[in-house]
Amino acid sequence: MKIDVLTLFPAMFAGPLDESIIKRARKKGLLDLKVHDLRDWTHDRHRTVDDRPFGGGPGMLMKPEPIFEAVESLRREKTKVILLSPGGRKFSQQIARELAEQTDMLLVTGHYEGFDERVRQALADDELSIGDYVVTNGALPAMVIIDAVTRLLPGVLGDDESSLDESFSRDLLEYPHYTRPAEFRGMKVPEVLLSGNHAEIAKWRAEQARLRTKEKRPDLLK
Ligand code: 4GY
């Protein structure tokens, strides 16, 4: 998958996407990630990307011209252009699975008070939010989406890693996990897990997942 990112803070992307599973995906060529500085599409001496809102009010908006020029130069035939802002559809494991089927994405990140509405109107195929809170700019949201989508690409996760996916795929929280020692600081591993009775273990885990979900995330059961 090819992912392009348009941001005012390209330096923020060094680090999180150069570690572990995402690093491996990039090395294998499964993820081709390019981060672009929006200011590269300005033409004035100050590389201006913001302007004041018509109608007044506090704060600045991202002006449309650099974003239009950038998107028009970066997008290709198959590219899904996705705006990131708290006003978008709520990102989820289901949306991550759908995005993992795309070949080309361009993530356009927000800053200041947000985008001139015409960016949304004329350029965006979709608008996503990583949750109902506001961060200082869209770089972290972009990285969250890139990470969640990349780990779902065929060949990225090894067999040992992919079982971690069960949680949200089955729409239940995970059952409790234990490793050695069987007793640690007086806390014992549930007897059934030491029993070797695989039918009983499966039953216990299913029940625990249900109980835990009912307790912590009842919204998932509805
Ligand atoms: N939440 N999901 C988010 C965000 C920063 C003010 C608009 C979010 O995706 N992006 O909080 N982005 C804001 C900052 C302008 C973008």
Side-chain angles (χ1 to χ4, degrees):
M1 171 180 291
K2 174 85 199 283
I3 303 181
D4 290 289
V5 183
L6 196 55
T7 176
L8 288 172
F9 306 99
M12 285 182 69
F13 289 79
L17 303 173
D18 299 318
E19 295 284 348
S20 173
I21 291 167
I22 307 302
K23 177 185 188 174
R24 206 176 59 206
R26 297 176 76 176
K27 272 197 184 142
K28 283 196 197 172
L30 299 170
L31 169 67
D32 177 6
L33 176 70
K34 297 265 152 54
V35 179
H36 308 270
D37 188 338
L38 178 61
R39 290 189 201 277
D40 292 348
W41 283 272
T42 58
H43 302 289
D44 63 311
R45 291 206 305 130
H46 297 106
R47 310 183 91 201
T48 311
V49 292
D50 61 335
D51 206 342
R52 291 150 50 201
F54 276 122
M60 299 292 270
L61 291 171
M62 298 180 76
K63 62 195 266 93
E65 300 94 318
I67 302 182
F68 270 72
E69 284 196 33
V71 170
E72 284 164 354
S73 77
L74 292 172
R75 80 175 161 200
R76 293 168 302 281
E77 180 77 22
K78 298 270 181 64
T79 304
K80 281 272 173 274
V81 177
I82 301 176
L83 295 196
L84 303 185
S85 91
R89 300 198 286 150
K90 182 90 63 74
F91 185 63
S92 64
Q93 192 65 24
Q94 180 51 40
I95 293 176
R97 285 190 283 261
E98 289 165 18
L99 295 182
E101 291 171 11
Q102 298 294 328
T103 58
D104 299 79
M105 290 200 288
L106 170 53
L107 302 179
V108 182
T109 65
H111 187 47
Y112 311 114
E113 297 302 312
F115 304 99
D116 181 286
E117 187 61 21
R118 290 163 292 192
V119 167
R120 202 166 265 121
Q121 254 176 30
L123 295 180
D125 296 309
D126 202 352
E127 183 171 1
L128 295 176
S129 165
I130 62 160
D132 291 338
Y133 43 82
V134 181
V135 295
T136 55
N137 70 79
L140 288 168
M143 288 186 259
V144 166
I145 289 171
I146 292 163
D147 186 289
V149 170
T150 300
R151 64 186 289 287
L152 298 180
L153 299 176
V156 170
L157 292 188
D159 293 341
D160 290 3
E161 294 161 333
S162 48
S163 73
L164 291 173
D165 236 25
E166 281 171 32
S167 181
F168 273 96
S169 315
R170 293 171 313 151
D171 288 327
L172 287 178
L173 300 186
E174 278 284 285
Y175 52 77
H177 301 283
Y178 296 89
T179 184
R180 292 184 293 179
E183 182 175 344
F184 176 68
R185 299 193 177 182
M187 298 176 281
K188 287 185 169 144
V189 172
E191 200 63 49
V192 61
L193 297 179
L194 312 175
S195 69
N197 184 334
H198 296 293
E200 280 302 312
I201 291 170
K203 212 170 90 186
W204 181 86
R205 285 176 167 170
E207 180 62 7
Q208 290 294 314
R210 219 173 319 272
L211 282 172
R212 180 169 279 207
T213 306
K214 190 166 172 243
E215 176 70 22
K216 297 208 264 189
R217 291 295 307 279
D219 57 299
L220 293 178
L221 294 172
K222 281 154 200 156

